[in-house]
Amino acid sequence: MMEEHENKSGPMPEGQPQAEGEKPLTHAEAITTAPSEPATAKLAENDPVELNPAPPLALVEIPTEPISPRIRLDKKHPLAIRWMHWINFPVLFTMIWSGLLIYWNDSDNAYKHPHAVYRIGVGPFTIIRFFPPWFWKAMNAPYHVTQGLGYHFFFMWLFAINGILYVLFTIFSGEWRFVVPDRKSLIEAIQVTLKDLHLTKYLPPQTKYNGAQKIAYTSVILMGAGSLITGLAIYKPTQAHWVTTLLGGYEMARWEHFLLTMGFCGFFLIHVTQVVLAGWNNFRSMVSGLEVQSVQEPSLEAERKSWG
């Protein structure tokens, strides 16, 4: 009876629930262990199993809104201004270096010259000495007066020509409108200074330059002209005696020339610091002439075209 029961046992009929704990049959096992079916439905041993192919994927185009640009390239600095800017940097540096070689000879060095231009004091009492002896020694200034004169008078012409060309270009191209301060520049300069000092978060709107930059860059142009005039009064005090007299005399012209030079040094330090804080985009504009701007910012090129 047991053997007969075992022979009669076979695969579970279709639709009958599977006993608990049994492992479900795979597709291949279901085919090989399936019960006898009519001849029309019987599968041969080597017949392939036909599977219904998946329908092809249809590409559905999803409508999207057109993408509007958020940034643009704006022409900030013309080629002539970029050339004159980078030429002026080594020229001015050489002028200051050679000027220090010259004025070492008249400073309070080993010869104890009485002028002592590089100090602030009353009579023989010195309050502040700008350049101590270690400074002169570090830049190898002693006994290089002739070398300093040669460099100074040669680069003086390059400095003057470059400055004159810059002024003429800004006048005839209309770029002076970006540089010359207007009635709002002083208030904007105060606001920009407060923003840089982190005393306020407000920054006034600007085009190419803000109010502080307009005042600074215009002042540098006037300082350059003043350096040439005071330098001429020192270089030719007899031939240009009327210029020397207007400046207050030879000694006063020397002081004015020195103070203008210190003004250039102060401007250079502040200018480089501001460029570093402004980032690569601002520096790149002085190299390539182009600056990445937001589309909401006013276009400099459009403003230039409005000049007529």
Side-chain angles (χ1 to χ4, degrees), residues 195-198 269-283:
K195 174 66 169 57
D196 292 339
L197 296 175
H198 301 284
L269 293 176
I270 296 175
H271 182 62
V272 172
T273 302
Q274 292 289 354
V275 169
V276 172
L277 294 177
W280 169 250
N281 188 37
N282 185 61
F283 177 80

Side-chain angles (χ1 to χ4, degrees), residues 224-258:
S227 296
L228 292 174
I229 295 173
T230 55
L232 176 64
I234 299 171
Y235 178 43
K236 298 291 184 180
T238 302
Q239 293 86 340
H241 60 89
W242 61 275
V243 178
T244 307
T245 303
L246 289 176
L247 294 175
Y250 181 79
E251 289 298 328
M252 185 59 65
R254 285 167 54 85
W255 265 106
E256 293 162 354
H257 197 70
F258 168 73

Side-chain angles (χ1 to χ4, degrees), residues 159-172:
F159 179 74
I161 294 172
N162 191 62
I164 293 172
L165 290 177
Y166 175 82
V167 173
L168 292 177
F169 177 81
T170 55
I171 292 175
F172 289 105

Side-chain angles (χ1 to χ4, degrees), residues 3 21-22 33 37 41 44 48 94 111 142 168 179-180 219 222 235 306:
E3 293 178 358
E22 287 189 7
T33 59
E37 294 179 359
T94 306
Y111 290 100
L168 292 177
V179 181
V180 177
S219 300
L222 297 177
Y235 178 43
S306 66

Side-chain angles (χ1 to χ4, degrees), residues 177-197:
R177 294 178 175 87
F178 289 128
V179 181
V180 177
D182 53 29
R183 59 182 181 178
K184 299 179 181 179
S185 296
L186 181 59
I187 297 177
E188 291 179 355
I190 297 174
Q191 293 171 339
V192 171
T193 303
L194 294 176
K195 174 66 169 57
D196 292 339
L197 296 175

Side-chain angles (χ1 to χ4, degrees), residues 13 30-31 35 48 53 75 77 83 87 99 107 121 147 149 151 159 169 179 221 224 230 241 251 285-286 295-296:
I31 294 176
K75 184 179 180 181
H77 300 295
W83 267 100
I87 288 174
S107 182
Q147 180 185 8
L149 288 170
Y151 277 102
F159 179 74
F169 177 81
V179 181
I221 296 173
T230 55
H241 60 89
E251 289 298 328
S285 65
M286 189 52 75
V295 292
Q296 286 81 17

